[in-house]
Amino acid sequence: MPSTQLLVIGAGPGGYTAAFHAADLGLAVTLVDNGPALGGVCLNRGCIPSKALLHAARIINDAAAAEKIGLKFGPAELDVAKLRTWKNAVTAKLTGGLAQLAQMRKITVIRGQARCLNAHTARITASAGGSEHVSFEHAIIATGSRPVALPLMPASARVWDSTGALDFPDVPASLLVIGGGYIGLELGSAYSAFGSEVSVVEALPQILAGADKDLADILIRRLNQEFKAVMTATRVVKAAEAADGIEVTFQNDKGEERQERYAQVLVAAGRRPNVDELGLETTKVQLTENGFIEVDSQRRTDEKTIYAIGDVTGNPMLAHKASAEAKAAVEAIAGREGDYAPRCIPSVIYTDPELAWCGLTEQQARTQGMNIAVSKFPWAASGRAMATGRTDGMTKLIADTRTGRIIGVGIVGAGAGELIAEGAVAVETGLKAEDLALTIHPHPTLSETLMEAAQGLFGQPVHLIRPKK
Ligand code: NAI
């Protein structure tokens, strides 16, 4: 029976990071994945292809908006096949790169399905056929998550999950997105730019409930203009395939029903962990009541030889959280000190404008009864935002008044997803707001909005006058 020091099951951003880091530390590593290419959902049918489509959408929107500044382009002519080919080439290049990196690290990569037989052995059924038993000293489960299916939706090519929508077969005339979360809003925005008439239905009373309302409202205002409808506190209670679309029945929280037909429906109602088919019942690995794998601060399960990382261990289901857990788990396996104990995991919704936040939101800090100071810097006061025609933004800092440290940052605006990294460094390192205020930021950049928001905690920012209380 072949043996390995570390068996990593799943080659997404959690699994491949774990495999690479372990190989770099000198461990013999076997990496198993049942997909056609390394990279998991993120690279193959998630983060990366969606960002490629959103990039194309942004060009369309920017070109249309340019008319205001004296640049008139004709309407975009979308070549769906060419755009799809480009998107696929982006993912192929990245997944191919991972395969090379794995090879150079001498990692044994197997395409197949791994199933634990006990705390030290797994059976790997190869995608090409045949199976073998592999013994391991340690294993890391990094099998990710998959979209939640809605049983009431008919099985039809007119019903997509995120994978179907990212395949980008065409641009439907009308698209209903079920779920106003990350996936629904990102893909809804992309298809809207490509020409679909997009409606979003969300069961909760509000979309973007996790972010502070003052920031979310700036994005919501734009989405309300872009989308045909954003229906909150509403559920889909019935759906049936008709000749030219899906006939959907909605029910709002008052019990009122109405029907509408859509050419296409995208179900983006959350994701659930891939824990089945892993043979966990043959081990001591325990699940939480929500079906995630239970782990300690080093990402070790109740079975001492088995660790778990990424979506399979719970929210937030984010690639960068999985990669950070991967490092922590491998360090523990290699006998090094350290825990997975981040102060912040940044969230970004890559709509236009983007919405990003890290650390505590104002709402969370107030709910916890903390003594906080909050400073907001509207992008209308930023020269760079003005010069790029994108003043629809806001940068917000939340500081602990007791320590003067920054405990939360929220940003909405074009490029917020890049800017939040500075906020993440501030929160993670416990930076004092005063130090951010005194750090010289390059002019003219949107990063100055962070500095000016910090200045606002100590008086007036240079480019803003706020009435004295
Ligand atoms: P989500 O949890 O972000 O949003 C799903 C939304 O659907 C929720 O607001 C929920 O209330 C609503 N919902 C559920 N059932 C419904 C129903 N029957 N009718 C109407 N509304 C319903 O999940 P989403 O968007 O599917 O994304 C899944 C995961 O993928 C997220 O947890 C996120 O972490 C990750 N992701 C992250 C991205 C990013 O970082 N930019 C992009 C895409 C996904």
Side-chain angles (χ1 to χ4, degrees):
M1 174 168 34
S3 69
T4 185
Q5 281 178 292
L6 177 64
L7 174 69
V8 181
I9 308 174
Y16 77 71
T17 302
F20 290 6
H21 189 47
D24 292 343
L25 294 181
L27 297 183
V29 181
T30 299
L31 176 61
V32 191
D33 192 285
N34 58 12
L38 300 184
V41 170
C42 175
L43 266 72
N44 291 288
R45 47 189 189 283
C47 325
I48 300 297
S50 64
K51 264 52 311 149
L53 291 184
L54 282 161
H55 170 66
R58 173 82 193 266
I59 294 173
I60 295 173
N61 290 340
D62 283 353
E67 195 175 347
K68 280 197 296 236
I69 63 165
L71 279 173
K72 191 169 163 127
F73 298 93
E77 276 179 42
L78 189 61
D79 183 334
V80 173
K82 196 163 176 182
L83 180 49
R84 189 192 310 120
T85 304
W86 170 72
K87 165 192 70 79
N88 292 344
V90 170
T91 57
K93 208 174 251 176
L94 286 166
T95 57
L98 285 182
Q100 269 175 2
L101 290 170
Q103 194 180 23
M104 284 155 71
R105 286 181 162 96
K106 305 202 178 347
I107 291 168
T108 304
V109 175
I110 303 177
R111 274 190 57 200
Q113 177 80 28
R115 188 183 179 92
C116 295
L117 300 177
N118 55 48
H120 281 289
T121 322
R123 183 178 66 230
I124 299 175
T125 308
S127 305
S131 74
E132 62 177 341
H133 289 190
V134 173
S135 76
F136 56 82
E137 288 171 24
H138 289 99
I140 295 180
I141 299 172
T143 44
S145 62
R146 63 180 182 279
V148 168
L150 291 184
L152 58 79
M153 295 311 295
S156 162
R158 291 188 184 275
V159 178
W160 283 333
D161 59 12
S162 54
T163 307
L166 287 169
D167 280 345
F168 195 45
D170 61 9
V171 177
S174 57
L175 173 67
L176 172 69
V177 178
I178 303 180
Y182 287 75
I183 295 181
L185 297 181
E186 289 185 7
L187 290 178
S189 298
Y191 275 93
S192 167
F194 298 148
S196 295
E197 188 182 75
V198 175
S199 303
V200 175
V201 56
E202 165 58 52
L204 298 175
Q206 195 192 323
I207 58 167
L208 303 169
D212 275 335
K213 190 167 178 320
D214 49 355
L215 300 174
D217 277 349
I218 294 175
L219 170 57
I220 290 171
R221 213 171 300 142
R222 169 86 175 235
L223 294 176
N224 280 333
Q225 288 164 9
E226 255 174 42
F227 294 164
K228 183 187 168 210
V230 178
M231 299 167 262
T232 49
T234 304
R235 292 183 163 276
V236 173
V237 289
K238 226 188 292 169
E241 178 139 31
D244 56 351
I246 302 285
E247 183 78 19
V248 176
T249 307
F250 300 102
Q251 189 180 64
N252 66 16
D253 56 354
K254 297 187 197 91
E256 297 157 346
E257 289 197 357
R258 74 180 187 83
Q259 289 180 339
E260 199 158 337
R261 191 168 293 187
Y262 299 90
Q264 192 73 43
V265 175
L266 163 60
V267 179
R271 299 181 63 87
R272 62 194 192 96
N274 291 327
V275 289
D276 354 69
E277 317 287 329
L278 284 171
L280 297 182
E281 64 286 354
T282 65
T283 70
K284 294 195 196 111
V285 173
Q286 296 295 313
L287 300 185
T288 67
E289 59 183 29
N290 294 325
F292 294 107
I293 294 180
E294 205 156 87
V295 287
D296 67 10
S297 63
Q298 293 183 317
R299 311 287 99 174
R300 192 193 289 247
T301 68
D302 286 19
E303 182 67 75
K304 295 293 168 231
T305 54
I306 300 179
Y307 290 66
I309 57 172
D311 287 9
V312 87
T313 64
N315 287 307
M317 297 197 206
L318 297 171
H320 43 280
K321 175 233 182 202
S323 314
E325 288 179 291
K327 291 256 172 132
V330 169
E331 295 280 309
I333 289 167
R336 297 177 162 202
E337 294 278 314
D339 278 337
Y340 170 78
R343 278 204 181 128
C344 80
I345 303 168
S347 295
V348 182
I349 303 186
Y350 296 89
T351 41
D352 184 22
E354 293 177 346
L355 176 59
W357 66 99
C358 67
L360 293 181
T361 62
E362 179 180 352
Q363 201 182 327
Q364 285 170 330
R366 294 211 188 280
T367 310
Q368 291 177 22
M370 295 183 74
N371 256 332
I372 55 168
V374 176
S375 175
K376 298 186 220 177
F377 189 83
W379 285 21
S382 152
R384 187 62 189 274
M386 195 86 78
T388 49
R390 290 306 301 265
T391 51
D392 53 334
M394 172 100 79
T395 297
K396 175 168 167 177
L397 288 189
I398 299 131
D400 182 335
T401 41
R402 202 175 36 90
T403 61
R405 296 187 193 282
I406 297 165
I407 55 168
V409 179
I411 310 177
V412 61
E418 300 290 337
L419 292 172
I420 200 64
E422 181 172 342
V425 172
V427 175
E428 190 62 45
T429 60
L431 187 71
K432 295 212 166 182
E434 191 181 5
D435 288 322
L436 180 54
L438 291 173
T439 300
I440 298 173
H441 282 60
H443 178 74
T445 62
L446 293 167
S447 71
E448 289 169 296
T449 65
L450 284 151
M451 175 185 70
E452 295 228 27
Q455 289 169 357
L457 292 168
F458 304 98
Q460 300 286 8
V462 174
H463 295 96
L464 202 65
I465 283 284
R466 275 189 301 233
K468 292 214 163 70
K469 280 187 188 146

